[in-house]
Each structure stands twice: as C-alpha cells, then as structure tokens.
Amino acid sequence: MFDKVLVANRGEIAVRVMAACEELGVDTVAVYSDADEEGGHVRYADEAYNIGPARAAESYLDHEAVIEAAEEADADAIHPGYGFLAENAEFAGKVEDVEGVTWIGPSAESMELLGEKTKARTVMDEAGVPIVPGTTDPVETAEAVDEFGEEHGYPVAIKAEGGGGGRGMKVVRSDDDVEAELESAKREGEAYFDNDSVYLERYLETPRHVEVQILADEHGNVRHLGERDCSLQRRHQKVIEEGPSPALTDELREEISEAARRGIGETGYTNAGTVEFLVEDDPERGPDELLGTDADFYFLEVNTRIQVEHTVSEELTGIDIVKWQIRVAAGEELDFSQDDVELDGHAIEYRINAESAGEDFEPTTGTVTRYDPPGRIGVRLDDAIRQGDDIGSDYDSLIGKLIVHAGDREECLARSDRALAEFDLAGVQTTIPFHRLMLDDDTFVDGLHTTKYLDGIDRERLAEGTERFGGDDEEASPDSERTLTVTVGGKQFDVRLEGEPVAGGRAASERVTANPSTDGSAGATAGTTESADTGADTTDPVDVDDGDGVVAAEMDGTLIGVRVDVGDAVEAGDTVCSLESMKMENEVTATRTGVVAERFVEKGDSVTAGDPLFRLDTE
C-alpha cells in the first residue's frame, strides 16, 4: 500500500479521495490554486502545495506543476479525482514515467484507447456492444457534418473527443447551424480538454441515460456494480442520478450491465470506469410499464475515471469504489466475485450546484452565510464547504452532493423530501429548491423522464416552483416580511419577521421556540442572511442591455472567443463574444444595432460582472 497520495483535484471529490486514503492509513497531499488557498480540500489534507493562479490552465491543468508538487511532497501516488486531468492520457503517461510515483487510474494506453470517443466506439463495436450511428474518425469540416446530416438526418450531435458531462457537445438541428456549432464544439474541446477534435453521432430524441459502474484489476478480474440512471439533465449535464433505473426490467438491466462488462473485458482495462449507454424510451409507456429486452440501447462512451455519481453504486452495493481504485493501483486483487455483487434498495444523488434553476440554471456566486446540512438514517453528504466560504466562478458550480438510500424508490423519495427540506444553506443560490420541485413533479416521481425532459419543462413553472421551495428565482428585498410560528410557555404565536428567506431551507413550516421576556411579551429572535452577490443573473445566451452603448460582462468568467472588432457592424441579437463561467459557455449578445467603436478585451482575459467588453456607436 502507498504511504502518501497526492490528490490532483479540489472540492468535494478531493476530500472524498482523502477520506478513503485516511481509512487506509495513507497520508494525503492537496494541491491548490491562488483562489483555493482556504479551500475545504486544503483544510482536510495532511499537507498542501500551491500550484499557480486561479485560472485552471495555469494550476490544476498544469502537468508539470502537479508532478513537481508530488515530488516535493515525496508522494508515491497521484489520484486525479474527476474532471481536470482525470482523463488526460498525456498526463497519466507523464506520471507513469516518474520513478516512484504511481498513477491511480487506468493506464495511459487504456485512457487513450477508450477516452477518445471515436476509438472507444470502434472497440465496443468489435466487442459486439451496440453503438449509435456515427463517425469513427474525427470530423474537420462543416461539409462533413452536412454530409452526415444528409445521410442520417437531423438532429446531429457534434461531440468533443475529450468531452464529458455535456461539455464540448453541440446539437445541430439544420444545415443552417452547422458552421457555428462545429466551431463552438471545437472551441470548448480545446478550452476544457486541450483537444479540439470532434466526432458525430445521430442525436436520439427520447433517450434515457443509463450507465454501468465497472471495477477491474491487474489480475484479469472485471466486475460491474449495477447501473445508474442519469436521465434528469439540463444542457446535457446530470442533475439527479439514481439506481437502479426506475425504467428497466431486470432482464434489460442485466443485458446492459453484461454488455458493459464484456466490452471493458476485451480491452485489458484496469481500475474504476463507467460505461455509458443511451436507451430508447417509449414516450407512450405508463409508470407501471418497464422497458424490456426489446428496447434498443446504444453505447455512448467510457469515462476512464471515477464518476461524480459513484456514490449511488457505493450505497447500493456497500463497496467503497475509491478505496478499490487505490488498492487496484497498489496491485491488489478484487476480493469479490460478480455473484457477490448485490443491489440493496434504492439510492438517489442530488447535485447541489451553485446555480439558480429559476434563471435557467445560471451559475451563481456568493459567500456561504449559513451551512447546516441534513443527516440521520439513509442520508450521506459529500462536500468540502463550510460557513464563511466564498463560492466563486473560477471552477465548476458543483459544491456538494446529497445522497439518499432507502429500501425502495418510494421510501427513498420520501426520505429525500425530508432531507432536502432540512438542508439549510444560505448566502448563495443553489439547486436545492429545484430538487424539492422535482420531488413534487409527477413525471420524475413516476420515473418517466428522459434526458430531454428538463429542456421542455415550462420555464415559468420552473421559476415559480423553485421560488416556492426556497426563493431560488430571485433575491428577497431587505424589507420583505415572513411569518413564523413561535412557542412561548407552551402557547403558539405568529411572529412577523423582516428580512429575506433562507434559500433551500424550511419556509412555511419553520418554527422558533422563544422564552417569555420580563415584560410578559414574547421575545423571539430569528437570523437573517445577507443577500448573495450572484454576479450571474442572466440566461444562456446572455443578452446585454447596453443602454449607454457599452456591452458589459454580466457574470465573472473568461473570454474564450471574441467575434467582433472595432469597425464591425453589429445587429441586435448578434453574438459578440463567448464567456466561460463555471465551465459553461455563455454567448454574449447585443440588444441593439450599431458599430463597434471600442473593444476592451482579448481572448483569454478574465473579467468580472460589470466589466465593459465593447462600446457600440448606435447613432
């Protein structure tokens, strides 16, 4: 076993890996950027090393800086978590070449083979795993996309080779959109994964996203840990994951799981991984009708790393996947057979993102003014934040994960409702109210949602619903009023309070116990929270109301594309630049017609909300 592991990541996944190391008696090393000096993973680790500025490309994505930190700390292994360098075959290869340092993950060769989507499709096809019609070679030109669309029909998905979580994926619905979407997909692939290569797939209209957790060791053992259903997504990014899938029969579940196990077994893959599939749903089926072996399913991709939602499989099987990652990398053999793997009950993971669901899931920022997460039976929380932490825009919006486990799905949903209602997080808008809305949503509760469901949900209903469950849609004014029930000497009184409500916490049912004051009146105190300075209250794309001709940034972020220059004519609705915030690309558009008189930014510049980007002459 290793003596010391460096975790090349941040946030909750870094802490998750460090906790596994601690239980194995292994010391931990954190790396951090300037923005994360006070981060939760730094607090948790045994030692920590600064590796650069806030910009990920100059810190968490800097190969040499991470390896130098490992050597300086005398670490004998590196665990990448997920995201950042977790699926970077070049980095894995560099670590493998460092004497005395072990890469905790699949080999660089396996990552290159399966991490790049076109190669993975070829391998799976040869192993007899169904694949979605698409290209096996990278696509370079808009003409090639046009030809594919003519042959297979629109819509067409353009997907980055190194992409994941919906990043680097663009959907083309007609030949008019090909050039812009191809450019955007390549740009995102280069910005997020250092790889602008893209490929094409036929875009399925009513799919479910079902994935299978795999563990494999260096002794030829390959095990699957059942499937997870990740169909509830916004902008192709998962929001809620659960297992087992509420839509599959046991026969189809086993067929998909064995296909994943077979495909991985053909490649000599080791360590943890996830094989993702799309399953064609029947839009006419009812909640009591499940998809059987006559349903079509297709290989989507292999994630050559730990997944955000690995927690669901851990709760169902009782197997610590992260510990087994470390043990396998140390040369140990899996000590359980496939027949030993049993799924117990039902588990659901809720991603707690710093986003406003009422504003089309826009990333939000702020300072955590109160943090009191739920607990008790069947409730797990993976996080790295505490009260007083700042939630910025430099990295992904995920700040924690609530995982609920119960005997069956009905009980799991009821337990989830209780846990989410108890989750008291203030100072920054989060997806907690959205999750509570989903537990009041018939389509989700009945398990009939597909990956397209949230795209079609009524925006007004979403905004009203999330406001009802915690005021996520907008900040309350300082002089807004609430009525609470207080108990004084065994009697209940209604007390009117001024101040904003707590986002995500209990509202209508909140109670305060007070002691009688000396003058006989009821004295009650209730804390109020400071308004979250979101710095991100726009939709995607971002429409800018340039009343004085200035096009300003309406969120913190980095310019990843500049479309116009001084002297260019701009029509209302034209995209003037692309702004990346919390790993999401936002197109900034002008709301009026004019000519670019001044340009204040360049590609790669970091901006904060309110910074001027361009000035238009609208005369």
Side-chain angles (χ1 to χ4, degrees):
M1 181 51 63
F2 306 113
D3 293 321
K4 186 184 292 187
V5 170
L6 180 144
V7 183
N9 216 294
R10 64 179 300 278
E12 64 84 19
I13 187 55
V15 173
R16 166 71 185 95
V17 174
M18 291 173 189
C21 289
E22 185 177 11
E23 292 182 16
L24 291 171
V26 177
D27 291 339
T28 57
V29 181
V31 291
Y32 64 94
S33 71
D34 291 345
D36 276 341
E37 185 174 2
E38 302 297 328
H41 69 295
V42 176
R43 295 191 293 260
Y44 195 97
D46 294 313
E47 53 188 298
Y49 294 81
N50 183 287
I51 55 171
R55 188 164 178 261
E58 300 175 52
S59 51
Y60 294 109
L61 292 174
D62 187 329
H63 298 191
E64 283 66 37
V66 173
I67 291 173
E68 286 174 8
E71 292 178 319
E72 184 176 352
D74 199 24
D76 50 0
I78 293 178
H79 192 303
Y82 53 71
F84 291 134
L85 297 170
E87 292 183 282
N88 190 304
E90 180 185 357
F91 177 69
K94 289 180 180 179
V95 174
E96 291 171 347
D97 290 339
V98 178
E99 185 176 356
V101 179
T102 299
W103 170 252
I104 299 178
S107 68
E109 182 180 0
S110 290
M111 292 177 68
E112 185 173 357
L113 179 66
L114 293 174
E116 291 196 357
K117 308 306 186 285
T118 54
K119 293 180 180 179
R121 285 168 53 84
T122 300
V123 169
M124 290 296 167
D125 191 30
E126 292 174 350
V129 180
I131 64 172
V132 180
T135 61
T136 55
D137 294 317
V139 171
E140 300 290 344
T141 66
E143 290 73 22
V145 181
D146 279 332
E147 291 175 6
F148 185 87
E150 289 293 326
E151 179 180 355
H152 296 283
Y154 287 97
V156 173
I158 305 176
K159 306 179 77 172
E161 283 271 14
R167 298 187 181 93
M169 173 178 167
K170 300 297 175 181
V171 178
V172 181
R173 299 196 172 274
S174 74
D175 54 7
D176 294 336
D177 303 327
V178 168
E179 191 168 347
E181 299 293 9
L182 177 62
E183 177 188 343
S184 181
K186 291 173 72 69
R187 183 169 59 247
E188 283 191 13
E190 175 66 29
Y192 302 139
F193 310 105
D194 197 27
N195 182 354
D196 69 353
S197 182
V198 299
Y199 67 103
L200 308 178
E201 281 184 355
R202 182 167 68 86
Y203 189 63
L204 304 180
E205 291 288 6
T206 57
R208 297 191 73 90
H209 183 125
V210 176
E211 62 187 30
V212 180
Q213 178 67 56
I214 295 291
L215 274 174
D217 62 28
E218 297 174 357
H219 306 277
N221 299 303
V222 181
R223 309 284 184 258
H224 75 72
L225 306 185
E227 96 285 2
R228 300 182 290 255
D229 193 311
C230 309
S231 299
L232 199 72
Q233 304 179 4
R234 87 284 187 271
R235 294 198 290 268
H236 311 294
Q237 291 184 312
K238 304 164 189 174
V239 184
I240 297 176
E241 303 100 338
E242 62 181 303
S245 171
L248 309 185
T249 60
D250 289 341
E251 293 77 16
L252 181 57
R253 173 173 296 114
E254 183 63 19
E255 187 174 331
I256 293 173
S257 296
E258 281 302 319
R261 186 184 179 200
R262 182 175 68 251
I264 287 294
E266 292 287 327
T267 68
Y269 185 96
T270 61
N271 216 271
T274 301
V275 186
E276 300 193 339
F277 296 90
L278 293 178
V279 181
E280 283 275 27
D281 206 343
D282 177 3
E284 301 300 320
R285 73 179 179 89
D288 297 325
E289 301 174 86
L290 301 179
L291 300 173
T293 54
D294 56 339
D296 292 326
F297 68 91
Y298 302 100
F299 167 75
L300 178 61
E301 62 185 11
V302 176
N303 292 122
T304 57
R305 53 170 168 81
I306 196 74
Q307 291 273 88
V308 174
E309 60 274 16
H310 73 277
T311 58
V312 171
S313 298
E314 289 182 330
E315 294 301 308
L316 292 176
T317 64
I319 295 172
D320 190 318
I321 299 171
V322 177
K323 280 186 183 178
W324 272 114
Q325 282 192 291
I326 299 168
R327 287 171 170 161
V328 166
E332 294 187 24
E333 182 174 1
L334 296 173
D335 64 1
F336 57 91
S337 69
Q338 187 60 59
D339 289 340
D340 292 331
V341 179
E342 296 182 358
L343 305 185
D344 176 23
H346 200 90
I348 305 178
E349 175 183 276
Y350 301 88
R351 297 195 186 196
I352 310 302
N353 292 336
E355 296 174 2
S356 173
E359 295 289 343
D360 202 23
F361 293 96
E362 275 299 321
T364 62
T365 59
T367 299
V368 178
T369 57
R370 184 163 58 253
Y371 189 65
D372 186 11
R376 286 168 286 283
I377 187 170
V379 175
R380 165 181 171 180
L381 191 75
D382 281 21
D383 63 0
I385 67 169
R386 68 182 180 189
Q387 185 170 314
D389 282 357
D390 292 325
I391 307 299
S393 63
D394 295 300
Y395 311 111
D396 192 274
S397 61
L398 179 68
I399 58 177
K401 304 178 311 195
L402 176 69
I403 307 98
V404 180
H405 183 220
D408 56 31
R409 190 170 190 263
E410 183 178 4
E411 183 183 27
C412 193
L413 291 172
R415 183 166 290 168
S416 298
D417 194 31
R418 183 266 296 173
L420 286 163
E422 292 177 356
F423 206 142
D424 187 357
L425 194 163
V428 60
Q429 296 180 30
T430 73
T431 51
I432 293 173
F434 164 77
H435 293 316
R436 298 189 66 192
L437 174 64
M438 286 297 98
L439 294 179
D440 197 41
D441 180 272
D442 290 341
T443 300
F444 175 74
V445 171
D446 289 341
L448 297 176
H449 55 289
T450 68
T451 62
K452 311 297 178 62
Y453 179 60
L454 286 185
D455 293 337
I457 198 170
D458 182 74
R459 298 294 99 179
E460 184 175 347
R461 173 182 163 233
L462 184 63
E464 291 176 353
T466 51
E467 182 178 9
R468 174 163 57 98
F469 286 113
D472 184 61
D473 180 41
E474 60 185 352
E475 296 176 10
S477 61
D479 58 354
S480 62
E481 295 182 349
R482 289 184 294 158
T483 300
L484 302 181
T485 301
V486 301
T487 302
V488 182
K491 297 182 179 180
Q492 294 183 348
F493 300 87
D494 289 334
V495 178
R496 189 175 63 210
L497 301 178
E498 295 183 353
E500 65 175 275
V502 178
R506 293 187 181 272
S509 62
E510 186 171 0
R511 296 184 183 275
V512 178
T513 300
N515 294 318
S517 63
T518 54
D519 62 2
S521 63
T525 60
T528 57
T529 62
E530 297 178 5
S531 299
D533 179 16
T534 66
D537 55 359
T538 59
T539 58
D540 181 8
V542 179
D543 292 323
V544 180
D545 184 7
D546 49 355
D548 56 358
V550 173
V551 180
E554 298 228 348
M555 65 183 71
D556 298 350
T558 301
L559 270 295
I560 59 174
V562 178
R563 305 281 186 89
V564 297
D565 205 345
V566 174
D568 289 347
V570 175
E571 298 288 334
D574 284 354
T575 298
V576 294
C577 62
S578 299
L579 181 67
E580 182 268 319
S581 179
M582 286 187 175
K583 293 190 178 180
M584 294 183 186
E585 179 177 349
N586 302 273
E587 293 186 348
V588 180
T589 61
T591 58
R592 58 184 65 193
T593 299
V595 176
V596 179
E598 291 182 89
R599 169 178 162 178
F600 306 112
V601 292
E602 300 289 340
K603 179 180 177 181
D605 286 353
S606 295
V607 297
T608 57
D611 284 354
L613 307 176
F614 303 91
R615 184 177 66 80
L616 302 181
D617 186 349
T618 58
E619 294 298 325

